Amino acid sequence: MSSRHRGRSLALMCLYQIDLVGTDPDRAMKFDWYDKKITREEKEYAVFLVKGVVENRKAIDTLIKKYSENWELSRISVVNRCILRLSILSLQKEPFLAAPVVINEAVELTKEFETDESAQFINGLLDAFYKKEILPKDSH
């Protein structure tokens, strides 16, 4: 497993705690709840993602609502919301990562933590977001 994937998995678990339980982000980002070895690179990447989502959550959630086609944010599972948040952040803030890689990683995380049906939902939403929000900016 790549360190970027492990970092995304850690970020997902951290965001889940923040969203579901209301854990303070600074407390969650200590990762003392995680019982496996974490490299510095994995932790730094996870912290980057979590901080970015926490700081931009309202704007990201507005985008999720826009592209979820009649799904209320509260009806989207916590795991799926967190995957969407960190993936939209990556598409916006990590232009050096190819969009298909980010979307594929989101789909893989969804398959790991959710269902194949959820993976299709995540793929469709992120693909629509990318094509309408990111791609037009890149073509200028």
Side-chain angles (χ1 to χ4, degrees):
M1 182 183 316
S2 76
S3 61
R4 189 168 296 277
H5 179 79
R6 287 244 344 230
R8 284 183 180 280
S9 293
L10 283 167
L12 172 61
M13 289 183 256
C14 194
L15 290 168
Y16 182 85
Q17 284 185 35
I18 293 166
D19 193 329
L20 187 67
V21 183
T23 303
D24 176 70
D26 291 329
R27 175 79 182 122
M29 285 186 284
K30 290 183 180 181
F31 300 102
D32 54 5
W33 45 267
Y34 193 70
D35 63 352
K36 296 180 179 90
K37 184 171 173 25
I38 304 171
T39 68
R40 189 180 90 244
E41 185 179 74
E42 292 164 349
K43 184 176 180 178
E44 287 174 356
Y45 189 54
V47 166
F48 164 77
L49 291 170
V50 172
K51 282 185 175 181
V53 168
V54 168
E55 291 168 5
N56 298 285
R57 185 172 166 172
K58 285 184 183 179
I60 293 170
D61 283 357
T62 298
L63 291 166
I64 293 170
K65 288 176 198 171
K66 179 178 178 180
Y67 290 99
S68 62
E69 297 182 16
N70 303 319
W71 275 79
E72 289 295 320
L73 197 60
S74 62
R75 289 188 59 215
I76 300 172
S77 78
V78 175
V79 172
N80 287 342
R81 277 196 311 260
C82 293
I83 290 170
L84 288 167
R85 287 173 179 152
L86 70 91
S87 300
I88 287 173
L89 179 85
S90 287
L91 289 167
Q92 291 177 320
K93 305 288 185 188
E94 297 181 287
F96 53 88
L97 293 177
V101 172
V102 173
I103 295 170
N104 185 58
E105 182 67 20
V107 169
E108 291 304 313
L109 278 174
T110 307
K111 287 179 180 177
E112 186 176 337
F113 291 97
E114 274 278 355
T115 64
D116 287 343
E117 186 176 294
S118 290
Q120 292 173 358
F121 171 73
I122 296 290
N123 185 55
L125 191 147
L126 291 175
D127 187 58
F129 166 76
Y130 170 70
K131 287 177 179 171
K132 292 183 178 154
E133 301 285 334
I134 304 295
L135 196 56
K137 293 175 187 174
D138 290 345
S139 59
H140 291 292

